[in-house]
Amino acid sequence: MPVVNQDKFSSELSKPTVSPQVTSLSYAMATLGASLMDGYAHIKNKCYQLSRKYFEVCEREEDGADLVSIEALQACILITYYELRGKGFARAWMTLDRMDAPDPYVNGTLKFQQTLPPTQSKVDLEERRKAFWVVFIIDAYASVRSGTTVAIDQSKVTTALPAPPKIPEPNQPPMPSLDNAQLLYGTDYISSFAGLVLMVSLYRRSLSHVKASLEPDPTLGGTGYSFWEHHYAIDKDLKSCTEALIGKMDAQELMNDEFALALNMNLCAIDIFLHEAAIIKADKDGLPQTLITESNNRCSEAAMRIAEGVSLIQKLAQPKRAVFRQMNIYCMWPVCMAMQVLNRQLSANNDNSELGHTVGVLKLLMSGIEDLEDVSGHWVDSISHIVKRLEDMDSTGLRTPHLTP
């Protein structure tokens, strides 16, 4: 999460007396670093406990001056991110609530950010923008994990998109808002982090679209909701965003850019999510079979692209594979979505040759889940019925192709 300005953080650490919020932030960063690097796992929990300890020191201050700082916000974000990756999902929500309870979002910014002192510093402003967007992303992935709605209303977001890694120069154009993100397409101003924001915004739109189509109240959705108009609008934007972020990157280029590879897998998962809703809607309304076939094909193609992504990850050298374990909350969902699609194909397909290939791809995806190390256990549980099915098929002696990365 590129939420901390390295030069500014180093300057804070070099002061004779380091504030508790900066200390909390430093231990939060150490926690994530220890969870990523081989040989440091034994200090991970200690760093985590110290980060929470110093954050609580800020909370106990009478005037709350240390708590109302960008460093405290950043520490809270990184602690939450770490907790979301593990079994402390409920604790992650509580940590985030300490920053923004009970309503995290007012007038286009996080409530916490409204308490920060005014600043004209480009460094400070960019850190604040990135802090908002990280919470925006975490909120979406918590929704994926829990199956609940998102807390932040995307329609009210006015915050400018995050700038490229280097501090913007005076001659660099200001970053647009999310509604005008298409202005960045074809430019050099879309960073990997901004790409993640755009991808998450498409997931949020798809989620709102699906929920609106199920809403019985016509004023909110239901029979008065123009499902196909919204479906095709999101689908069009999804294609444009994919073209802008991924373009025609080949396998080697994707392997050289782990963020692009993760983005591509997630965009494929959104494609599946959107078209699964279309299949259900077309079937329910008795629409032509061609609509269902088209959406089924889109789901199958997206699932195979996700499998190709898993194969590329498994070809990476160990340091880069470790990066994907650090980003596993962004990769587990697409892999599981692909497995669900292929599992349905097993039920619908009577061709033994294709059946064997589908099982082989499913096993490749299963190995991807193992490589990503689902510490939380949530994603492994979500595909346990598929794993059981594959085990039963193995016991019958079904021969499947051995798919290597």
Side-chain angles (χ1 to χ4, degrees), residues 314-350:
Q314 294 182 345
K315 289 179 180 178
L316 294 172
Q318 187 54 39
K320 282 200 170 185
R321 289 177 73 173
V323 171
F324 276 95
R325 286 198 295 274
Q326 180 70 10
M327 298 194 301
N328 62 1
I329 67 169
Y330 302 132
C331 299
M332 293 287 188
W333 178 58
V335 175
C336 290
M337 288 290 284
M339 291 187 72
Q340 299 286 2
V341 170
L342 295 171
N343 184 52
R344 287 193 293 273
Q345 287 185 4
L346 285 183
S347 301
N349 200 333
N350 295 319

Side-chain angles (χ1 to χ4, degrees), residues 133-152:
W133 288 119
V134 170
V135 176
F136 179 83
I137 292 166
I138 287 175
D139 179 38
Y141 275 93
S143 164
V144 171
R145 166 87 178 268
S146 64
T148 58
T149 189
V150 291
I152 296 175

Side-chain angles (χ1 to χ4, degrees), residues 32-38 81 85 258 313 316-328 371-373:
L32 292 174
S35 67
L36 172 64
M37 300 174 64
D38 292 335
Y81 178 69
R85 294 179 63 244
E258 56 268 26
I313 291 172
L316 294 172
Q318 187 54 39
K320 282 200 170 185
R321 289 177 73 173
V323 171
F324 276 95
R325 286 198 295 274
Q326 180 70 10
M327 298 194 301
N328 62 1
D371 285 346
L372 291 169
E373 296 182 0

Side-chain angles (χ1 to χ4, degrees), residues 71-90:
E71 290 82 12
L73 174 59
Q74 291 165 334
C76 186
I77 287 170
L78 295 184
I79 291 170
T80 303
Y81 178 69
Y82 174 74
E83 290 170 343
L84 279 175
R85 294 179 63 244
K87 296 183 178 180
F89 186 73

Side-chain angles (χ1 to χ4, degrees), residues 240-401:
S240 298
C241 185
T242 302
E243 178 64 27
L245 298 178
I246 308 300
K248 301 187 184 304
M249 294 179 72
D250 60 24
Q252 190 58 52
E253 289 172 315
L254 287 172
M255 289 176 68
N256 291 336
D257 187 343
E258 56 268 26
F259 281 101
L261 182 50
L263 273 174
N264 191 43
M265 292 170 65
N266 276 270
L267 289 165
C268 291
I270 296 170
D271 205 2
I272 292 171
F273 185 65
L274 182 65
H275 283 276
E276 283 184 335
I279 292 169
I280 294 170
K281 178 67 173 175
D283 185 58
K284 178 182 176 183
D285 293 351
L287 298 179
Q289 182 64 34
T290 52
L291 278 174
I292 297 175
T293 301
E294 179 188 352
S295 287
N296 267 321
N297 289 341
R298 287 284 294 274
C299 289
S300 298
E301 290 165 7
M304 293 307 297
R305 290 198 301 272
I306 292 170
E308 289 167 6
V310 169
S311 179
L312 292 178
I313 291 172
Q314 294 182 345
K315 289 179 180 178
L316 294 172
Q318 187 54 39
K320 282 200 170 185
R321 289 177 73 173
V323 171
F324 276 95
R325 286 198 295 274
Q326 180 70 10
M327 298 194 301
N328 62 1
I329 67 169
Y330 302 132
C331 299
M332 293 287 188
W333 178 58
V335 175
C336 290
M337 288 290 284
M339 291 187 72
Q340 299 286 2
V341 170
L342 295 171
N343 184 52
R344 287 193 293 273
Q345 287 185 4
L346 285 183
S347 301
N349 200 333
N350 295 319
D351 186 326
N352 283 337
S353 62
E354 290 190 18
L355 188 70
H357 182 264
T358 301
V359 170
V361 177
L362 276 168
K363 289 181 176 180
L364 173 65
L365 291 166
M366 278 176 52
S367 69
I369 291 286
E370 293 170 0
D371 285 346
L372 291 169
E373 296 182 0
D374 178 23
V375 179
S376 70
H378 169 80
W379 300 107
V380 171
D381 288 344
S382 74
I383 58 168
S384 59
H385 63 292
I386 302 176
V387 174
K388 176 66 166 59
R389 184 177 190 178
L390 293 176
E391 290 173 348
D392 290 345
M393 293 179 79
D394 280 344
S395 68
T396 65
L398 175 68
R399 298 185 64 182
T400 61

